[in-house]
Amino acid sequence: MGDYRRIADRIAEDIAGGRLKPGQRLPPQRVFARRRGIAPSTAGRVYGELVRRGLVVGEVGRGTFVRAAPDGPAGQALVESGVTGAPVNLELNYPSAPGQPELLAPVLAPLLRPDVLAEALLPAAATGTPQAREAAAGLLATPGWRPGPERLLFTGNARQAIAAVLASLVRPGGRVGVEQLTYPLVKEIAVRLGITLVPLAGDPAGLLPEAVAAAHRTAPLSALYVQPTLHNPTSLTTSGPRMRQLAQVLGDLDLPVVEDRIWSFLHEPGVPLAAHAPALTHVVDGLSKRVAPGLTVGFLVVPPHRVGAVAHAVRSGGWSAGRFALEAAVRWAAEGTVARLVAAKRADAGRRQRILAEELAGFAVRSDPHAYFAWWELPAPWRADTFTAAAAAHGIAVTPGPAFAVAPGHTPDAVRLGLASAPEPDLRRALRTLARVAARRAGDRSGP
């Protein structure tokens, strides 16, 4: 038996004896090698052997974690992982209403006629078509706000809309203010565009206007990115008074803002930030959540004087909407399909929130009765990374809080739960399992 296997046996004994706990993170392989006085390649073989035996699980970008203690002799390959059913992914968050394919299919059928299909397969401009602009304006309208169709632009999805707006507003090296916890993809877009994200403080009413002003005084911001309605991951919706205060500060600073409203269709209609600061606000929305992620369109509502600049960014980035998807969106909106799906998904989100409240009663969970996600502040001594690994050992994927954190070192001990994708029975089972995992004492988390 090679030396690496003997070392793996000792680690297995520590797991069996409870000295290494489920969810506990092992040190990086180079640190492990230094502590043991072995070559890094040997450390890699040790970790590989532990994975082979089912004792640990590797989480890309987060490390290697103990799965669960074995019931049999030390080093036994069969490990009780706690998995009692099919894996459940609470990272994905794509809602699907009952009967959704049956609702969508009839509208697509006319597009398959050769004469209509020939038109639908032509390239689409960033400005779409007059019919698409009218349909989108009606779809995005709320009491107190209806965007002018001439302000509408289209992308392949909402993510591309965010990228196009930021590319049009911010030069490489520029600074963009964001909430302290923000949509992870915005972090990736910022890296690709060479943009620095500046985390800004908030409170239960929303982003603090004074935090925006203070950051701008420190070094000028080029723009602001916010999710004022059903913020992802916390589900917070900015209050009306705070929205007006924020608009006032933006006007004083002449600071452009990107208002992400991708989840707003689930919430009671409210006046968006764009209604208070129309000359500065760039609204981002889309069909991926309202309808389906596979055939989607991103919407942009931009100030009139910026239509040309943002359209140029859409074209140069290759972010234009597909004409077929655009034609489908127009028909779905006109036939009332989108409205029916929105109503069904609001009811679905409400049912899932009730399951969440029942299964995680007594825990510190922040959410909204209308939201498809929740922010779970974990009980001590759990950390986000160790809990994520412990959940994975039970076949459940969750998103760790640090994925949303902007400031280095500010890693909240929380996880986001996506409620939309799993069937309701699987969601209930997964939440019940996570509640049991969270209630367990995490124990000593010192490394081997």
Side-chain angles (χ1 to χ4, degrees), residues 117-187:
L117 185 60
E119 184 76 15
L121 294 180
L122 293 174
T127 52
T129 64
Q131 296 85 352
R133 293 194 293 274
E134 288 290 346
L139 197 64
L140 302 180
T142 67
W145 181 72
R146 181 185 174 92
E150 72 283 355
R151 299 173 57 195
L152 263 294
L153 298 172
F154 302 92
T155 60
N157 53 46
R159 298 174 181 182
Q160 294 177 353
I162 295 170
V165 171
L166 290 178
S168 74
L169 286 171
V170 189
R171 294 179 180 275
R175 290 161 36 95
V176 174
V178 295
E179 289 126 330
Q180 290 176 322
L181 299 172
T182 195
Y183 179 34
L185 200 76
V186 170
K187 296 162 62 176

Side-chain angles (χ1 to χ4, degrees), residues 53 58 100 256 283 341 379:
R53 299 185 192 184
Q100 180 167 297
V283 174
L341 286 174

Side-chain angles (χ1 to χ4, degrees), residues 11 59 102 145-146 258 282 367:
I11 300 299
E59 295 289 314
E102 291 76 13
W145 181 72
R146 181 185 174 92
V258 181
H282 303 67
S367 195

Side-chain angles (χ1 to χ4, degrees), residues 56-124:
V56 301
V57 59
E59 295 289 314
V60 177
R62 297 196 282 269
T64 302
F65 301 85
V66 176
R67 290 189 64 176
D71 292 332
Q76 182 174 315
L78 181 60
V79 177
E80 177 57 54
S81 68
V83 177
T84 57
V88 180
N89 194 325
L90 303 185
E91 285 188 300
L92 295 178
N93 214 24
Y94 295 118
S96 179
Q100 180 167 297
E102 291 76 13
L103 280 172
L104 296 174
V107 177
L108 292 178
L111 285 174
L112 302 182
R113 283 176 25 205
D115 57 330
V116 179
L117 185 60
E119 184 76 15
L121 294 180
L122 293 174

